[in-house]
Amino acid sequence: MAIRRSNLRRLSAVNERQVNTMRNFDEETITEAVLERVGQARDPRMKQISEALVRHLHGFIREVRPSQAEWEQGIRFLTGTGHMCDDKRQEFILLSDVLGVSMLVDAINHGAAAGATESTVLGPFYVEAAPEKALGANISDGIDGEPLIVTGSVSSLDGKAIAGATIDVWHSDGDGYYDVQQLEETGGLTMRARFRSDANGKFYFWTIRPAAYPIPHDGPVGKMLDAQGRHPWRPAHVHFMISASGYQQLVTHIFADGDQYLDSDVVFGVKDSLIRMFAARPAGVAPDGRILDAPFHHLNYDFGLTPA
């Protein structure tokens, strides 16, 4: 049966409307079109993440209404951030840190139970290949600085000692530099090590007192901080990553009480429960029984792990 001309006109109008839903997008229609496309993701989690990304990203663009030049500047910023990344530096982690994203992700994933040590950011200077050393070792490898003994314990939430826990530690030197920032001067990894807690869950080691330091700010993230009117400094601290079978891995710092940057840490990582005295001690008998002929510092912290 022949199709009447009126029906043809109606079909043509329908087809035109369908085409217009797939093309000719404007400020009001582009977001829904992109959401329809990404909504075809097979994995439900990928679909959820993609849709949220599109909604918030498009919302950001509509709010700030960037010029074409500003959009290009943003692309150059992200490109430069990628170019700064290598096996010794992760500029995207720095970007995440200084925008508070790293701490937000940490807060979402690590609500501290009663008795558990609070977590904080990993930071960009963790190295998986830290050497394993015996309890009591000095990890400063002759680097100049004020002697520091670190003591502590690892236990469960009910106070039971955890023997054999793996305790990764790393920190800056007395001038605020990490080993990976000055490998030519240090000759290799230093001021970092991996220990095992003893039968009573205890550990101790010697090193030098770390200093407050600026995060690397010679790249895109540093330029962004300057444009935002912010400083790049972190308070003095020692990093800890503690793992034990049957428990959640703990990533945290212990901060030096009295540091001037405790209330303005560039990565928002300070928590009151993680502040301790790096107590000055006179020459004499140290906590491990060693006799020192010069003053030293003592940091003690007892860590509580959450069951897996």
Side-chain angles (χ1 to χ4, degrees):
M1 182 182 295
I3 300 177
R4 294 181 180 179
R5 290 183 179 179
S6 59
N7 289 339
L8 285 173
R9 285 195 294 269
R10 283 196 294 272
L11 287 172
S12 177
V14 169
N15 289 337
E16 183 177 355
R17 286 197 298 272
Q18 289 175 338
V19 167
N20 285 336
T21 64
M22 296 182 288
R23 305 176 187 167
N24 307 315
F25 303 117
D26 58 24
E27 182 179 338
E28 302 303 324
T29 62
I30 182 67
T31 301
E32 286 303 318
V34 178
L35 286 172
E36 182 180 353
R37 301 274 180 91
V38 303
Q40 299 173 34
R42 291 181 296 275
D43 181 81
R45 180 62 171 166
M46 175 58 72
K47 179 176 183 292
Q48 178 191 18
I49 292 171
S50 299
E51 290 176 341
L53 173 64
V54 170
R55 286 196 304 270
H56 290 283
L57 183 57
H58 284 218
F60 168 76
I61 294 298
R62 286 193 178 89
E63 178 181 341
V64 302
R65 305 192 71 81
S67 66
Q68 195 73 27
E70 289 172 330
W71 178 81
E72 291 173 356
Q73 184 179 7
I75 296 297
R76 287 195 298 272
F77 171 79
L78 293 175
T79 302
T81 300
H83 287 166
M84 289 296 295
C85 298
D86 57 28
D87 59 344
K88 302 179 182 64
R89 176 165 174 170
Q90 232 303 345
E91 192 80 357
F92 275 109
I93 289 181
L94 282 180
L95 179 60
S96 175
D97 289 349
V98 304
L99 292 177
V101 176
S102 299
M103 280 304 299
L104 177 57
V105 172
D106 180 78
I108 289 170
N109 286 276
H110 299 101
T117 300
E118 292 189 283
S119 59
T120 190
V121 293
L122 176 66
F125 297 117
Y126 171 68
V127 174
E128 291 186 5
E132 185 156 344
K133 296 193 176 184
L135 294 177
N138 190 326
I139 68 172
S140 65
D141 297 315
I143 302 293
D144 288 338
E146 302 173 21
L148 169 70
I149 184 172
V150 180
T151 61
S153 65
V154 184
S155 64
S156 60
L157 298 186
D158 59 4
K160 181 180 178 181
I162 300 177
T166 300
I167 305 155
D168 268 288
V169 298
W170 66 102
H171 64 83
S172 72
D173 64 15
D175 294 321
Y177 291 101
Y178 284 80
D179 50 2
V180 293
Q181 295 175 291
Q182 48 181 357
L183 287 175
E184 291 184 4
E185 291 83 355
T186 62
L189 299 179
T190 186
M191 297 171 292
R192 69 175 71 237
R194 182 171 296 144
F195 298 98
R196 303 277 180 175
S197 59
D198 66 15
N200 298 312
K202 296 186 179 298
F203 67 90
Y204 68 100
F205 61 91
W206 284 89
T207 186
I208 57 175
R209 194 186 195 284
Y213 64 87
I215 63 168
H217 56 103
D218 57 339
V221 171
K223 292 178 181 177
M224 182 189 74
L225 290 175
D226 184 63
Q228 293 172 341
R230 299 169 58 190
H231 71 68
W233 287 84
R234 301 214 65 206
H237 58 271
V238 177
H239 291 262
F240 290 85
M241 178 186 287
I242 303 178
S243 305
S245 178
Y247 295 88
Q248 294 180 22
Q249 184 182 69
L250 171 67
V251 175
T252 195
H253 312 351
I254 305 302
F255 297 92
D257 192 15
D259 192 285
Q260 63 178 315
Y261 297 111
L262 287 174
D263 293 323
S264 61
D265 178 14
V266 68
V267 307
F268 308 95
V270 178
K271 298 178 180 180
D272 287 341
S273 67
L274 302 178
I275 301 173
R276 288 291 186 276
M277 289 293 297
F278 285 41
R281 302 295 187 216
V285 181
D288 65 346
R290 187 177 306 185
I291 299 176
L292 276 75
D293 58 4
F296 63 96
H297 296 270
H298 180 204
L299 167 63
N300 182 80
Y301 197 94
D302 296 314
F303 296 90
L305 300 189
T306 302

